[in-house]
Structures are given as C-alpha cells and as structure tokens.
C-alpha cells in the first residue's frame, strides 16, 4: 500500500445551488470526486484520499447535501437526484476544473452514475462501489418497495419514507444506532442466515431491534465517534430525505429511460453485500448498460462498506481504473 501523501488533506467550503458544499481534498493532478452514501460522510474516504493523492490525483471527498457541514435545505424535494448532480457540478467549477472522474459508494454510487448520465461533459469516467448501475425503468420505486417484505414486516426503504419516523428511532441514540447499522452490513459482524433480516422491520417495531452487537473490524471506537458526532449535530433528516425522493427521481429522469453510461466505468462490490445480491441482474446487464466498462469485481467475503472493509484492494482497483480513465479520449 502506498505511503501517506506528503500533501495534507485540506477542508474547504465551496458554493453550491443549496448554499455550500463541505469537502476535503488531498493531492494534485486530475480531479477525482468521491461521493459517500448513507449514513456516512466525507470521512468514508479517509483510506482513499492519501492513496489517490500519491497516485497523482487531486482527490476530493464531499459531504453530500444534508450531511456534515454541507447545506441542509428544509424542503424534502431539495434532495432529488438532479439537485445532487448539480451540487457535484458546482464543486468541479468551484475547484477551477472543467471535468472530473467521479467515484461513489451506496447512494453515492447512484449520484455518481447519474452525474455521468446527465452531465457527461463534466463527469468523464465513473466508478460505482457496492450499488451497480441500473437504468431508469419499470414501475415507480414506491410500488416496488411496498411489495418487499410483506406480512408483518416492512422493507427499510419503505420504513424511511415517512418524515420523522426513522428520525424518532435513530436520534435518541445516534452512536448506538450507527454502530448497529454498520455492523449489520459488514461481513464480519452481519447476522447469520438464520437470524432475522436486518433490512426488514416488524411493523410497529424498530430497525435496530435486529442489529448485532459489537463493531466491525474496519471501525474503531474513535472512528465511530467521528460519524456519530456529525449526525448528533445535524440530525438525520437531511440524510433520510434522499430516500424520500425516489419517486420524484423516477419522474425527473423519464427522458433517460434505459440509458447506458458510455464513459470508462468500474464496479466493485462484495459477495456478502445484499445490494449485489438484489441487483445481480443489473450486474449481468453491464455489457449493455456500461459499454465503457473497464472492470467489474466482486470481492469474495466482503460486505457493504467495501472501501473501508477492504481498503487495499479497492484502492488498487481504483488506481488501475483511473490510469485507464484519464487516458481515454
């Protein structure tokens, strides 16, 4: 693994359509924008920033709208996908660049993919971690998720839809909830196949009732403090509002129905991540949906938080992909 970059990470605030975006940048060279997922922050990329900097890139990890020190608009519809794409464009412009390569994890993978889809002039290569690209199509997302679970159980995406509901569960003990959520989706701490599914909640119950105890290997107590401190300060509403715009996104993106991503692309997932299992058909469709695919990798035994669980492997794959992507016409 590369040694830490001599260039220290720098925190900055730059203007965005919602007000401001907080970012952390390290290194010099072609711009690489790193977009986190739920419930995380720029800090999710702490193991990538110095490695990408040492490889000759200007690595920039943002707090997505609603998180950390970035702006948190009150309106739920301010968190629709097209708004988040424009935040990324604003970051690129504020940093004095005209284009970037974009990398996303979890919801950040969706933001990265749609940034490349909607603004290919700005985002000329795209890497997705844990959540594969699946073109817009089919029924409304709310209709799909409403049928997941069934009976006395509700899928977590549906559980997150009603404003205030999940907040009431999480905010009284943010640190404990985050610890359980991270553990539930990590390969070394996730519940076994005979345990209740942590992606489901008993109607009238709480999601956390199915979380395991203990921290995954990739997360120390002090690192958990960083995540918890951010959400204790901001609350969870901005982060959860991403889930509350899925039907709006489906409407907004109607003109991109079935669209492929032509840019040089990369996918990295884990074999023990539910996202790669649920979306296996999307991975199988990559020859059609990602014609510029440079590599698709499923890391054996890895869970959902892949760039933190398996940092060395992910860093190697990112650097290899970036070398191809930066030389593409």
């Amino acid at each position: 693994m590369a040694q830490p970059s001599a260039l220290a990470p720098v925190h900055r605030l730059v203007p965005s359509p919602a007000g401001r975006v907080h970012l952390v940048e390290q290194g010099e060279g072609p711009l690489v924008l790193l977009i986190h997922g739920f419930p995380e922050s720029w800090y999710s990329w702490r193991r990538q920033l110095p490695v990408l900097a040492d490889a000759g890139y200007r690595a920039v990890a943002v707090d997505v709208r609603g998180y950390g020190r970035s702006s948190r608009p009150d309106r739920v519809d301010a968190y629709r996908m097209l708004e988040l794409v424009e935040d990324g464009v604003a970051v690129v412009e504020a940093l004095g660049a005209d284009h970037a390569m974009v990398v996303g994890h979890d919801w950040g993978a969706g933001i990265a993919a749609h940034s490349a889809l909607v603004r290919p002039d700005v985002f000329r290569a795209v890497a997705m971690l844990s959540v594969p690209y699946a073109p817009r199509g089919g029924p409304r997302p709310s209709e799909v998720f409403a049928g997941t679970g069934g009976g006395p159980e509700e899928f977590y995406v549906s559980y997150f839809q009603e404003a205030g509901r999940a907040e009431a569960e999480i905010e009284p003990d943010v640190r404990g909830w985050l610890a359980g959520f991270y553990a539930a989706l990590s390969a070394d701490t996730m519940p076994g196949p005979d345990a209740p599914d942590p992606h489901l909640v008993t109607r009238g119950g709480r999601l956390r009732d199915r979380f395991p105890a203990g921290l995954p290997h990739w997360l120390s107590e002090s690192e958990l403090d960083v995540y918890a401190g951010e959400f204790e300060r901001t609350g969870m509403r901005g982060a959860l509002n991403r889930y509350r715009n899925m039907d709006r996104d489906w409407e907004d993106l109607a003109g991109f129905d079935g669209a492929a991503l032509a840019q040089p692309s990369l996918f990295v997932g884990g074999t023990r991540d539910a996202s790669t299992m649920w979306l296996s058909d999307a991975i199988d469709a990559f020859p059609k949906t990602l014609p510029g695919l440079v590599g698709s990798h499923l890391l054996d035994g890895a869970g959902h938080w892949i760039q933190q669980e398996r940092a060395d492997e992910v860093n190697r794959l990112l650097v290899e992909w970036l070398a191809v992507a930066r030389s593409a016409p």
Side-chain angles (χ1 to χ4, degrees), residues 97-233:
D98 58 10
H99 65 275
M101 295 169 282
V102 61
V103 181
H105 170 255
D106 184 78
W107 264 122
I111 297 169
H114 286 91
S115 297
L117 180 68
V118 176
R119 293 299 305 269
D121 56 318
V122 176
F123 300 102
R124 300 186 182 176
V126 56
M128 294 151 284
L129 307 185
S130 297
V131 177
Y133 175 60
R136 188 263 190 206
R140 287 178 177 272
S142 59
E143 297 173 5
V144 175
F145 293 121
T148 305
E153 296 182 319
E154 184 178 12
F155 193 49
Y156 79 100
V157 175
S158 298
Y159 178 64
F160 286 167
Q161 293 303 307
E162 182 184 343
R165 187 181 179 197
E167 291 92 324
E169 173 187 337
I170 302 169
E171 290 176 355
D173 178 20
V174 168
R175 191 178 192 278
W177 194 93
L178 290 175
F181 193 73
Y182 296 148
L185 306 187
S186 296
D188 59 331
T189 48
M190 65 175 57
D194 296 328
D197 188 339
H199 299 93
L200 301 175
V201 58
T202 301
R203 295 184 188 276
R206 304 176 305 170
L207 199 63
R208 70 184 301 157
D209 293 338
R210 300 184 176 192
F211 290 168
L215 294 183
H217 78 277
W218 57 268
L219 184 67
S220 69
E221 295 283 353
S222 61
E223 290 171 325
L224 176 59
D225 286 340
V226 174
Y227 284 118
E230 291 292 86
F231 288 109
E232 287 169 349
R233 180 174 55 81

Side-chain angles (χ1 to χ4, degrees), residues 3-51:
Q3 295 299 310
S5 173
L7 292 171
V10 176
H11 291 254
R12 295 181 61 180
L13 293 171
V14 300
S16 75
R20 67 184 185 184
V21 171
H22 169 249
L23 58 85
V24 178
E25 64 175 312
Q26 190 167 4
E28 298 175 344
L31 181 60
V32 181
L33 190 64
L34 305 168
I35 306 177
H36 67 81
F38 175 89
E40 303 179 85
S41 75
W42 75 268
Y43 191 66
S44 305
W45 302 104
R46 63 195 178 280
R47 297 186 175 108
Q48 282 68 54
L49 286 166
V51 173

Side-chain angles (χ1 to χ4, degrees), residues 60-73:
V60 174
V62 300
D63 279 336
V64 172
R65 180 184 299 207
Y67 289 81
R69 283 189 269 164
S70 292
S71 293
R72 299 186 302 279

